Amino acid sequence: GGSLDDLIIKSGNVEVVRNLTVGGTITAEEFHTEFVSSSIIFSSGSTKFGNTQDDIHQFSGSLKVTGSGFVVDSDTENLIAEFKSSGDGIGEIRIADSSKYTRLLTVGSNFKIMPNDGSILAIFDGNNDRVGIGTELPTEVLTVEGNISASGNIIANHITASGNISSSGTGTNFLGGNLNFSGDRTISTIGSSD
């Protein structure tokens, strides 16, 4: 209980030393809050921060969003989501469900896509301008560790293979240029189709 004078200390500013319940709206030109070691709980409704796009809202600690999604909507031409790490230089975004997650990491000048088993799906090597798929150490502009499946044409000025090159299926194989062999080779069929 207590009277209103017990709840409010009047000295130019108004200080509430116990709970305050407002059944209507609080309107103020500016609203300043300082929560040193306590929490703000919004039990229902929506909360809006800021009224212009140059407003900055800073949170110390972690930010956890529980709900159906996290949406950033902007009518600016360039939308930037920036994640910084002042410790080991590693920034990480995890996209997860209850059993697995995919990690998007920035490590120095590199950008990695990794599942939660620690393997590398892809790496973008910013130091050497290379992309690696299935490998963390791309040696060429594009390095793929594993098989490549292409449903269209592969066009190259020069193809070097240290293993087998095979073709299967029906149709016409065109070779426009020189066919050079070094070492053992086996050609089972040479022909053309109409």
Side-chain angles (χ1 to χ4, degrees):
S3 66
L4 188 60
D5 289 333
D6 293 333
L7 298 174
I8 299 176
I9 301 170
K10 301 174 183 176
S11 58
N13 297 325
V14 176
E15 181 179 345
V16 179
V17 295
R18 294 187 187 168
N19 294 333
L20 174 65
T21 302
V22 178
T25 302
I26 297 177
T27 304
E29 250 181 61
E30 292 187 23
F31 188 67
H32 297 269
T33 58
E34 292 184 13
F35 295 90
V36 178
S37 61
S38 57
S39 301
I40 305 175
I41 299 174
F42 298 98
S43 60
S44 64
S46 299
T47 305
K48 180 180 179 181
F49 296 97
N51 61 353
T52 61
Q53 295 206 8
D54 59 350
D55 290 341
I56 297 175
H57 308 284
Q58 182 174 334
F59 297 90
S60 297
S62 299
L63 176 64
K64 182 178 181 180
V65 178
T66 303
S68 59
F70 183 79
V71 178
V72 178
D73 190 4
S74 175
D75 59 1
T76 58
E77 185 174 339
N78 297 313
L79 178 63
I80 299 173
E82 186 172 1
F83 299 88
K84 294 182 178 180
S85 173
S86 59
D88 54 10
I90 298 176
E92 180 175 341
I93 301 172
R94 291 189 182 195
I95 303 170
D97 61 21
S98 61
S99 62
K100 61 184 183 301
Y101 58 84
T102 299
R103 303 167 67 191
L104 308 177
L105 292 127
T106 58
V107 183
S109 299
N110 296 338
F111 179 76
K112 299 180 180 181
I113 302 175
M114 302 172 62
N116 59 342
D117 63 3
S119 62
I120 298 290
L121 290 180
I123 184 170
F124 300 88
D125 182 350
N127 290 322
N128 300 301
D129 297 328
R130 296 173 180 165
V131 175
I133 299 176
T135 177
E136 194 170 358
L137 300 171
T139 57
E140 302 293 339
V141 174
L142 174 62
T143 301
V144 178
E145 186 73 31
N147 296 331
I148 299 173
S149 176
S151 61
N153 297 325
I154 297 176
I155 300 171
N157 290 333
H158 184 81
I159 295 177
T160 302
S162 59
N164 296 327
I165 297 177
S166 42
S167 173
S168 62
T170 59
T172 304
N173 295 318
F174 293 99
L175 182 64
N178 296 327
L179 180 61
N180 299 318
F181 295 98
S182 60
D184 297 335
R185 62 259 182 201
T186 301
I187 301 174
S188 57
T189 302
I190 298 179
S192 61
S193 59
D194 295 333

